[in-house]
Amino acid sequence: MNDLEMYREQLALCDDKIIDALAERNAIIEKIMAYKEEYGMPILQPHQEEKQQTRLMEKLEGNKYKKEIQDVFSCVRKNGKRIQARKLFDYNIVLIGFMGTGKSTVSEYLSTMFAMKSVEMDQVIAEREQMSIPDIFETYGEEYFRNRETELLIELQSERGAVISCGGGAALRECNVAEMKKNGRVVLLVASPEVVYGRLKDVNDRPVLSGRKNLEGISELMELRRGKYEAAADIVITTDNKSVLAICEELIQRLTEMDE
Protein backbone atom coordinates (compact mmCIF):
# COMPACT_ATOMS: atom_id res chain seq x y z
CA MET A 1 0.00 0.00 0.00
CA ASN A 2 1.48 3.35 -1.03
CA ASP A 3 1.04 6.53 0.99
CA LEU A 4 -1.92 7.77 -1.08
CA GLU A 5 -3.85 4.57 -0.55
CA MET A 6 -3.01 4.68 3.14
CA TYR A 7 -4.32 8.26 3.44
CA ARG A 8 -7.53 7.27 1.65
CA GLU A 9 -7.98 4.35 4.01
CA GLN A 10 -7.49 6.67 6.98
CA LEU A 11 -10.06 9.07 5.49
CA ALA A 12 -12.58 6.25 5.13
CA LEU A 13 -12.04 5.27 8.77
CA CYS A 14 -12.65 8.90 9.79
CA ASP A 15 -15.88 8.88 7.80
CA ASP A 16 -16.97 5.70 9.59
CA LYS A 17 -16.29 7.37 12.95
CA ILE A 18 -18.27 10.45 11.90
CA ILE A 19 -21.24 8.30 10.82
CA ASP A 20 -21.20 6.40 14.12
CA ALA A 21 -20.85 9.62 16.13
CA LEU A 22 -23.73 11.31 14.29
CA ALA A 23 -25.98 8.30 14.77
CA GLU A 24 -25.14 8.33 18.48
CA ARG A 25 -25.72 12.08 18.69
CA ASN A 26 -29.13 11.81 17.02
CA ALA A 27 -30.13 9.00 19.37
CA ILE A 28 -29.14 11.17 22.34
CA ILE A 29 -31.32 14.01 21.01
CA GLU A 30 -34.28 11.63 21.02
CA LYS A 31 -33.43 10.56 24.59
CA ILE A 32 -33.31 14.19 25.70
CA MET A 33 -36.72 14.83 24.16
CA ALA A 34 -38.16 11.74 25.85
CA TYR A 35 -36.72 12.90 29.18
CA LYS A 36 -38.22 16.38 28.80
CA GLU A 37 -41.58 14.87 27.94
CA GLU A 38 -41.51 12.45 30.88
CA TYR A 39 -40.70 15.17 33.40
CA GLY A 40 -42.78 17.94 31.87
CA MET A 41 -39.80 20.12 30.97
CA PRO A 42 -39.96 22.87 28.32
CA ILE A 43 -39.06 21.61 24.86
CA LEU A 44 -37.56 24.92 23.77
CA GLN A 45 -34.41 25.83 25.68
CA PRO A 46 -32.56 28.45 23.61
CA HIS A 47 -30.04 29.05 26.38
CA GLN A 48 -28.84 25.47 25.94
CA GLU A 49 -28.14 26.12 22.27
CA GLU A 50 -26.15 29.19 23.27
CA LYS A 51 -24.09 27.09 25.70
CA GLN A 52 -23.36 24.55 22.97
CA GLN A 53 -22.25 27.31 20.61
CA THR A 54 -19.97 28.83 23.26
CA ARG A 55 -18.41 25.43 23.98
CA LEU A 56 -17.83 24.84 20.26
CA MET A 57 -16.11 28.21 19.82
CA GLU A 58 -13.86 27.54 22.81
CA LYS A 59 -12.99 24.11 21.46
CA LEU A 60 -12.13 25.52 18.03
CA GLU A 61 -9.97 28.38 19.31
CA GLY A 62 -6.77 28.34 17.24
CA ASN A 63 -7.90 25.41 15.07
CA LYS A 64 -6.76 25.88 11.45
CA TYR A 65 -10.01 24.28 10.23
CA LYS A 66 -12.26 26.43 12.41
CA LYS A 67 -14.46 27.79 9.60
CA GLU A 68 -14.92 24.41 7.95
CA ILE A 69 -15.80 22.70 11.23
CA GLN A 70 -18.25 25.50 12.08
CA ASP A 71 -19.99 24.92 8.74
CA VAL A 72 -20.31 21.21 9.50
CA PHE A 73 -21.69 21.84 12.99
CA SER A 74 -24.19 24.30 11.60
CA CYS A 75 -25.64 21.45 9.52
CA VAL A 76 -25.39 19.04 12.45
CA ARG A 77 -27.40 21.35 14.71
CA LYS A 78 -29.96 22.01 11.99
CA ASN A 79 -30.48 18.29 11.48
CA GLY A 80 -30.84 17.84 15.23
CA LYS A 81 -33.63 20.40 15.17
CA ARG A 82 -35.29 18.55 12.30
CA ILE A 83 -35.24 15.34 14.33
CA GLN A 84 -37.04 17.16 17.14
CA ALA A 85 -39.58 18.63 14.74
CA ARG A 86 -40.23 15.28 13.09
CA LYS A 87 -40.86 13.68 16.46
CA LEU A 88 -43.19 16.47 17.59
CA PHE A 89 -45.02 17.39 14.39
CA ASP A 90 -45.85 14.92 11.63
CA TYR A 91 -48.27 17.54 10.30
CA ASN A 92 -48.27 21.20 9.33
CA ILE A 93 -48.80 23.90 11.93
CA VAL A 94 -51.27 26.38 10.43
CA LEU A 95 -51.40 29.75 12.15
CA ILE A 96 -54.60 31.77 11.75
CA GLY A 97 -55.98 34.88 13.38
CA PHE A 98 -56.50 38.57 12.98
CA MET A 99 -53.65 40.64 11.62
CA GLY A 100 -51.24 41.80 14.29
CA THR A 101 -51.76 38.82 16.61
CA GLY A 102 -48.22 37.52 16.07
CA LYS A 103 -48.54 34.90 13.34
CA SER A 104 -45.42 35.92 11.43
CA THR A 105 -43.35 36.26 14.59
CA VAL A 106 -44.38 32.84 15.88
CA SER A 107 -43.84 31.25 12.47
CA GLU A 108 -40.33 32.67 12.19
CA TYR A 109 -39.41 31.55 15.71
CA LEU A 110 -40.68 27.99 15.26
CA SER A 111 -38.91 27.80 11.91
CA THR A 112 -35.65 28.85 13.55
CA MET A 113 -35.92 26.61 16.61
CA PHE A 114 -36.94 23.47 14.69
CA ALA A 115 -35.46 24.11 11.23
CA MET A 116 -38.99 23.80 9.84
CA LYS A 117 -40.05 25.24 6.52
CA SER A 118 -41.90 28.51 7.03
CA VAL A 119 -44.57 29.64 4.56
CA GLU A 120 -45.85 33.22 4.75
CA MET A 121 -48.91 33.00 2.53
CA ASP A 122 -49.25 36.73 1.88
CA GLN A 123 -45.59 36.92 0.94
CA VAL A 124 -45.82 33.94 -1.42
CA ILE A 125 -48.87 35.40 -3.17
CA ALA A 126 -47.27 38.86 -3.46
CA GLU A 127 -44.13 37.35 -4.98
CA ARG A 128 -46.10 35.28 -7.47
CA GLU A 129 -48.28 38.20 -8.51
CA GLN A 130 -45.27 40.50 -8.52
CA MET A 131 -47.15 43.19 -6.65
CA SER A 132 -47.97 44.10 -3.08
CA ILE A 133 -51.12 42.87 -1.34
CA PRO A 134 -52.68 46.36 -1.40
CA ASP A 135 -51.97 46.57 -5.14
CA ILE A 136 -53.56 43.15 -5.71
CA PHE A 137 -56.69 44.32 -3.87
CA GLU A 138 -56.78 47.57 -5.82
CA THR A 139 -56.09 46.00 -9.22
CA TYR A 140 -58.04 42.74 -9.06
CA GLY A 141 -60.25 43.01 -5.98
CA GLU A 142 -60.46 41.05 -2.76
CA GLU A 143 -62.19 38.03 -4.32
CA TYR A 144 -59.22 37.50 -6.65
CA PHE A 145 -56.84 37.55 -3.70
CA ARG A 146 -59.00 35.12 -1.69
CA ASN A 147 -58.99 32.71 -4.63
CA ARG A 148 -55.18 32.82 -4.70
CA GLU A 149 -55.20 31.97 -0.99
CA THR A 150 -57.39 28.93 -1.61
CA GLU A 151 -55.17 27.74 -4.47
CA LEU A 152 -52.06 28.08 -2.31
CA LEU A 153 -53.61 26.15 0.58
CA ILE A 154 -54.47 23.31 -1.79
CA GLU A 155 -50.91 23.38 -3.09
CA LEU A 156 -49.53 23.21 0.45
CA GLN A 157 -51.10 19.78 0.93
CA SER A 158 -47.84 18.43 -0.45
CA GLU A 159 -45.98 19.84 2.58
CA ARG A 160 -45.60 18.14 5.94
CA GLY A 161 -43.93 19.52 9.02
CA ALA A 162 -44.14 23.12 7.81
CA VAL A 163 -45.28 26.25 9.64
CA ILE A 164 -47.88 28.06 7.57
CA SER A 165 -48.77 31.64 8.48
CA CYS A 166 -52.12 32.57 6.96
CA GLY A 167 -53.41 36.01 6.15
CA GLY A 168 -56.11 37.35 8.44
CA GLY A 169 -58.94 36.43 6.08
CA ALA A 170 -57.84 32.95 5.05
CA ALA A 171 -59.85 31.14 7.72
CA LEU A 172 -63.08 32.91 6.76
CA ARG A 173 -63.69 30.48 3.90
CA GLU A 174 -64.87 27.04 4.96
CA CYS A 175 -63.12 25.41 2.00
CA ASN A 176 -59.85 26.95 3.17
CA VAL A 177 -60.29 25.56 6.65
CA ALA A 178 -60.99 22.12 5.19
CA GLU A 179 -57.67 22.30 3.32
CA MET A 180 -55.81 23.44 6.44
CA LYS A 181 -57.07 20.47 8.42
CA LYS A 182 -56.25 17.80 5.85
CA ASN A 183 -52.67 17.51 7.08
CA GLY A 184 -52.39 20.29 9.62
CA ARG A 185 -53.36 21.50 13.07
CA VAL A 186 -54.95 24.93 13.11
CA VAL A 187 -53.66 27.28 15.79
CA LEU A 188 -55.62 30.49 16.40
CA LEU A 189 -53.57 33.35 17.83
CA VAL A 190 -55.62 36.05 19.53
CA ALA A 191 -54.81 39.43 21.04
CA SER A 192 -56.83 42.27 22.47
CA PRO A 193 -57.98 45.07 20.13
CA GLU A 194 -55.74 47.48 22.03
CA VAL A 195 -52.66 45.34 21.42
CA VAL A 196 -53.55 44.81 17.76
CA TYR A 197 -54.12 48.52 17.24
CA GLY A 198 -50.77 49.29 18.85
CA ARG A 199 -49.04 46.89 16.46
CA LEU A 200 -50.85 48.09 13.32
CA LYS A 201 -51.34 51.80 13.76
CA ASP A 202 -48.21 52.67 11.76
CA VAL A 203 -48.62 49.90 9.17
CA ASN A 204 -49.98 50.85 5.75
CA ASP A 205 -50.14 47.53 3.87
CA ARG A 206 -53.42 46.13 5.27
CA PRO A 207 -56.14 46.97 2.72
CA VAL A 208 -58.98 45.46 4.77
CA LEU A 209 -58.30 48.12 7.41
CA SER A 210 -58.92 50.92 4.95
CA GLY A 211 -61.17 53.47 6.66
CA ARG A 212 -61.16 51.60 9.97
CA LYS A 213 -57.59 51.77 11.23
CA ASN A 214 -58.64 52.87 14.67
CA LEU A 215 -59.47 51.03 17.88
CA GLU A 216 -63.21 51.02 17.23
CA GLY A 217 -62.87 49.81 13.63
CA ILE A 218 -60.42 47.07 14.57
CA SER A 219 -62.62 45.93 17.45
CA GLU A 220 -65.66 45.67 15.18
CA LEU A 221 -63.83 43.70 12.51
CA MET A 222 -62.28 41.37 15.07
CA GLU A 223 -65.70 40.64 16.53
CA LEU A 224 -67.16 40.01 13.07
CA ARG A 225 -64.47 37.39 12.40
CA ARG A 226 -64.25 35.86 15.87
CA GLY A 227 -66.87 33.16 15.33
CA LYS A 228 -65.27 31.79 12.16
CA TYR A 229 -61.80 31.93 13.66
CA GLU A 230 -62.87 29.95 16.71
CA ALA A 231 -64.79 27.41 14.64
CA ALA A 232 -61.69 26.76 12.55
CA ALA A 233 -59.24 26.45 15.44
CA ASP A 234 -57.92 23.27 17.00
CA ILE A 235 -56.33 25.31 19.78
CA VAL A 236 -56.48 28.99 20.76
CA ILE A 237 -53.53 30.90 22.24
CA THR A 238 -53.58 34.45 23.58
CA THR A 239 -50.44 36.42 22.70
CA ASP A 240 -50.98 39.54 24.83
CA ASN A 241 -47.98 40.38 27.04
CA LYS A 242 -46.18 37.10 26.28
CA SER A 243 -42.73 36.54 24.83
CA VAL A 244 -42.51 34.58 21.60
CA LEU A 245 -40.75 31.82 23.57
CA ALA A 246 -43.67 31.58 26.01
CA ILE A 247 -46.20 31.54 23.16
CA CYS A 248 -44.34 28.77 21.32
CA GLU A 249 -43.91 26.69 24.46
CA GLU A 250 -47.65 26.88 25.08
CA LEU A 251 -48.33 26.02 21.45
CA ILE A 252 -46.10 22.93 21.61
CA GLN A 253 -47.61 21.79 24.89
CA ARG A 254 -51.17 22.19 23.66
CA LEU A 255 -50.48 20.38 20.39
CA THR A 256 -48.74 17.57 22.26
CA GLU A 257 -51.74 17.20 24.56
CA MET A 258 -53.96 16.76 21.49
CA ASP A 259 -51.96 13.65 20.55
CA GLU A 260 -52.18 12.02 23.99
Side-chain angles (χ1 to χ4, degrees):
M1 179 185 293
N2 60 36
D3 286 350
L4 180 58
E5 291 174 339
M6 180 184 67
Y7 295 148
R8 286 172 173 166
E9 183 66 22
Q10 290 173 347
L11 188 63
L13 291 173
C14 285
D15 288 346
D16 289 344
K17 291 178 182 178
I18 291 171
I19 291 170
D20 291 341
L22 288 174
E24 182 180 1
R25 188 182 194 278
N26 291 342
I28 292 171
I29 289 172
E30 292 186 333
K31 290 177 181 178
I32 290 172
M33 291 193 67
Y35 185 94
K36 289 179 178 178
E37 184 178 356
E38 180 179 358
Y39 291 97
M41 297 174 65
I43 296 295
L44 296 175
Q45 295 182 330
H47 64 281
Q48 192 63 35
E49 186 174 339
E50 293 170 4
K51 286 174 63 177
Q52 291 173 352
Q53 178 64 14
T54 299
R55 182 179 182 279
L56 176 64
M57 297 306 294
E58 291 174 351
K59 184 74 174 177
L60 291 177
E61 184 65 35
N63 191 303
K64 64 184 291 187
Y65 305 113
K66 179 177 179 179
K67 185 178 184 303
E68 291 78 10
I69 295 174
Q70 281 182 285
D71 288 343
V72 170
F73 265 85
S74 176
C75 293
V76 168
R77 285 194 295 266
K78 183 176 289 186
N79 285 326
K81 292 177 179 181
R82 287 174 177 154
I83 289 169
Q84 295 180 68
R86 190 164 62 242
K87 181 174 175 59
L88 288 168
F89 317 116
D90 63 348
Y91 48 80
N92 294 330
I93 298 174
V94 185
L95 303 175
I96 67 168
F98 200 79
M99 60 198 84
T101 54
K103 298 186 298 293
S104 295
T105 301
V106 170
S107 175
E108 182 180 357
Y109 193 81
L110 285 174
S111 174
T112 299
M113 295 305 293
F114 290 113
M116 300 171 75
K117 180 176 181 178
S118 175
V119 180
E120 288 283 338
M121 288 187 58
D122 282 359
Q123 181 179 335
V124 172
I125 293 171
E127 289 173 354
R128 290 180 176 181
E129 297 293 322
Q130 297 186 325
M131 62 177 67
S132 68
I133 303 301
D135 286 345
I136 294 173
F137 270 65
E138 183 176 350
T139 304
Y140 300 112
E142 182 174 356
E143 185 70 11
Y144 177 90
F145 175 76
R146 298 304 174 197
N147 290 337
R148 301 292 79 76
E149 283 184 318
T150 300
E151 291 169 1
L152 180 54
L153 282 167
I154 293 171
E155 181 184 327
L156 289 171
Q157 292 308 312
S158 62
E159 297 289 344
R160 188 166 293 277
V163 188
I164 301 170
S165 177
C166 300
L172 302 181
R173 280 187 173 184
E174 291 185 7
C175 62
N176 287 354
V177 176
E179 294 298 329
M180 295 174 190
K181 288 180 177 288
K182 282 182 179 178
N183 68 341
R185 300 283 171 79
V186 181
V187 179
L188 170 60
L189 301 183
V190 298
S192 67
E194 291 78 12
V195 167
V196 170
Y197 173 68
R199 293 170 178 171
L200 298 180
K201 62 183 179 180
D202 298 320
V203 174
N204 297 311
D205 61 350
R206 309 299 172 104
V208 296
L209 289 184
S210 178
R212 61 170 75 197
K213 199 165 72 171
N214 51 62
L215 185 56
E216 182 180 0
I218 287 173
S219 298
E220 289 177 354
L221 186 55
M222 289 178 72
E223 184 59 28
L224 281 173
R225 293 183 171 187
R226 182 171 62 86
K228 289 195 173 182
Y229 282 158
E230 292 177 352
D234 292 310
I235 62 173
V236 181
I237 296 177
T238 301
T239 63
D240 286 2
N241 304 316
K242 294 178 183 175
S243 68
V244 65
L245 174 58
I247 294 166
C248 290
E249 276 292 355
E250 182 179 349
L251 181 152
I252 294 166
Q253 181 182 351
R254 298 277 301 282
L255 288 177
T256 302
E257 289 171 352
M258 285 185 64
D259 295 327
E260 292 177 350

